Amino acid sequence: GFDTHGDLMDTQGQYIGEIDGGLGAFATEMKAHNTWDDVVVMSASDFARTMLSNGAGTDHGWGGNYFMAGGAVRGGQIIGYYPESLAEDAPWAVERGGRLIPTTSWEA
């Protein structure tokens, strides 16, 4: 599955390629049926990843990267921001291991 705690660098490219291929084929099919403007595809997850390694990979964390696609979606936007610091004493860092409080709710 996509829940990779270790070997992230080896597996992430493969999984992203699978998602890209599937979404590309789906978009092509929806466009062929003239329904792409009526479709919204959204990624969602019940967890994200910590910013720091535990020595063998990363642990479950809060926040994450989500995306939306569809013919009527106003794309090309990044909502939220990358933290200025990943230090464990940064204001948005909680606990240890790189768990960060998200800057923006996923449904924004």
Side-chain angles (χ1 to χ4, degrees):
F2 287 77
D3 187 7
T4 56
H5 289 264
D7 297 323
L8 185 61
M9 298 304 289
D10 295 333
T11 57
Q12 188 173 27
Q14 172 190 339
Y15 292 148
I16 290 173
E18 290 178 24
I19 292 169
D20 183 54
L23 286 174
F26 179 75
T28 297
E29 188 69 18
M30 293 299 100
K31 291 173 186 177
H33 291 281
N34 294 317
T35 57
W36 184 236
D37 287 345
D38 300 322
V39 171
V40 174
V41 178
M42 183 187 93
S43 73
S45 178
D46 59 342
F47 64 87
R49 289 288 178 200
T50 56
M51 299 298 288
L52 303 175
S53 174
N54 62 18
T58 58
D59 293 316
H60 293 192
W62 299 304
N65 299 300
Y66 299 88
F67 68 85
M68 294 179 73
V73 173
R74 292 186 324 231
Q77 301 177 62
I78 296 176
I79 300 172
Y81 63 90
Y82 194 80
E84 295 174 18
S85 169
L86 299 180
E88 292 192 20
D89 61 349
W92 44 82
V94 293
E95 297 182 3
R96 64 183 196 290
R99 269 190 190 89
L100 304 178
I101 298 171
T103 63
T104 307
S105 174
W106 73 269
E107 64 269 89

